[in-house]
Amino acid sequence: MLTSEQIATCETQFAAVNEKKNRQAELGVWQNRLLIPAILMTLWCLFAVSSLLPHFLKYGAGQLELAIAVLCAASFAGGGYLVGGGKALKIACLLLILASLAATYHIGGYLLDVLHGDAKLGKGFLFSSIRLVLCGTILVSAVKILRLKPAAA
């Protein structure tokens, strides 16, 4: 027959295991929501680097855009890799938040130019809108992962 102390210990252990299982399930959901947009934004940033690099090398123009693209590509790739592996989640999420904010600022500048009539409306507006949605998804997912309670020891 079990004593009340043994029952209380078992209930505490069961609650800890249940909490850990629930945290892992929630982490898995937010990891899945984050990874595809992070991969797509990494590829887009690498495309931007390859597009901007010849202009920078030939004319010395576009240093800020090139720096933002390189920073975002490295941050999206590194953050996505770390979150996908479940390692160093705080650092990974901070990298992804930084990259999302930098990319959103850059995309927002273009969208404002379109709205003010300084740039023409076309495929670029559609692609920028898609990238803005991807950055928002990454931002929300990274914040949700950061807000998860740590697993009980």
Side-chain angles (χ1 to χ4, degrees), residues 24-100:
Q24 282 301 113
E26 192 171 352
L27 176 62
V29 167
W30 290 110
Q31 281 176 320
N32 290 338
R33 288 185 184 167
L34 183 137
L35 287 177
I36 296 299
I39 291 168
L40 292 175
M41 285 303 296
T42 300
L43 293 174
W44 185 267
C45 291
L46 290 174
F47 170 73
V49 168
S50 68
S51 298
L52 293 170
L53 194 57
H55 296 290
F56 173 71
L57 293 175
K58 188 171 184 179
Y59 305 113
Q63 294 97 345
L64 179 62
E65 290 82 4
L66 184 62
I68 288 173
V70 168
L71 170 78
C72 289
S75 296
F76 283 129
Y81 174 76
L82 290 173
V83 167
K87 308 249 190 264
L89 288 175
K90 286 189 180 190
I91 293 170
C93 289
L94 292 175
L95 275 174
L96 290 166
I97 289 170
L98 174 70
S100 293

Side-chain angles (χ1 to χ4, degrees), residues 23 26 90 93 140-150:
R23 181 190 184 280
E26 192 171 352
K90 286 189 180 190
C93 289
V140 168
S141 298
V143 169
K144 289 288 191 176
I145 290 172
L146 275 178
R147 294 188 66 195
L148 286 176
K149 294 178 184 172

